[in-house]
Amino acid sequence: DGHSHFAWVARDSSKPGRPSTQAGTECWVAQATPECTQRLLDSMAKKGRVFPNDFRAAVVRELAPPLEALLNELSGAAGGAAVTLLETQGHRWGAAFPAASLPDGCAPSPSSVAATVSLGPRSEVSATASFSAECTEAGPFYLDVERGFGACGDYFSAYPGRVEGGWTSGSALATAILRAVK
């Protein structure tokens, strides 16, 4: 938490079932913070029309040096060798982080859930949600058994913007549904 460039970094090559890399090499995936992404988007907008490959190159140019520094910091803290980036790729994933998430232990009240999705001029999707939260022990999902409606996702979890949040929320909702139908 609190890194000026990155909100999330994962050692992708450590995941089970991933193909082995060359000896001594690893694959890391990093997601920039929303603030860092906005700074990059703003700087690119000043240049006028920008093509996807221009943006990908800017992501690499702006984020590879701080990523390499962060990985060296982590490697040094673990007693490892110096890190050198061998290959880098940039990508814009516009929906990586929700604008807001529910506080821990809270669920939206059934009468107040509202969402608006709009398509921007460059096909960006922006979504807003309004709700009043009721703090309950329901879990990281919303389930209205009476109406036959359930919702889950990283938005409801302690891990907004991360696949772990979506998985834990979906798993908890599935368990709650199975209990409700018994």
Side-chain angles (χ1 to χ4, degrees):
D1 283 343
H3 195 275
S4 62
H5 291 87
F6 304 108
W8 181 84
V9 178
R11 187 173 161 217
D12 213 42
S13 51
S14 69
K15 295 177 183 175
R18 297 293 166 120
S20 299
T21 59
Q22 296 174 5
T25 62
E26 295 180 346
C27 178
W28 288 79
V29 176
Q31 288 182 351
T33 63
E35 297 80 15
C36 179
T37 301
Q38 190 60 55
R39 286 191 307 267
L40 188 55
L41 288 169
D42 291 345
S43 71
M44 295 298 290
K46 292 177 186 175
K47 296 179 181 188
R49 185 174 173 153
V50 178
F51 295 98
N53 284 340
D54 297 333
F55 189 79
R56 290 181 190 111
V59 168
V60 170
R61 184 175 55 254
E62 297 295 324
L63 297 179
L67 177 61
E68 188 170 55
L70 177 61
L71 294 177
N72 272 303
E73 182 181 331
L74 294 171
S75 180
V83 172
T84 302
L85 299 182
L86 302 176
E87 182 181 335
T88 55
Q89 295 178 9
H91 176 72
R92 179 180 177 203
W93 182 23
F97 294 98
S101 60
L102 294 173
D104 287 344
C106 293
S109 64
S111 61
S112 64
V113 177
T116 305
V117 178
S118 59
L119 194 59
R122 293 186 181 153
S123 298
E124 304 97 358
V125 174
S126 63
T128 58
S130 60
F131 56 87
S132 57
E134 296 175 352
C135 290
T136 67
E137 297 299 318
F141 57 86
Y142 174 75
L143 178 59
D144 186 335
V145 175
E146 196 173 292
R147 291 184 176 101
F149 177 79
C152 62
D154 60 320
Y155 174 82
F156 292 96
S157 78
Y159 308 103
R162 293 173 49 184
V163 70
E164 296 93 328
W167 189 90
T168 57
S169 177
S171 179
L173 176 58
T175 300
I177 290 170
L178 289 172
R179 285 185 185 142
V181 297
K182 284 186 177 181

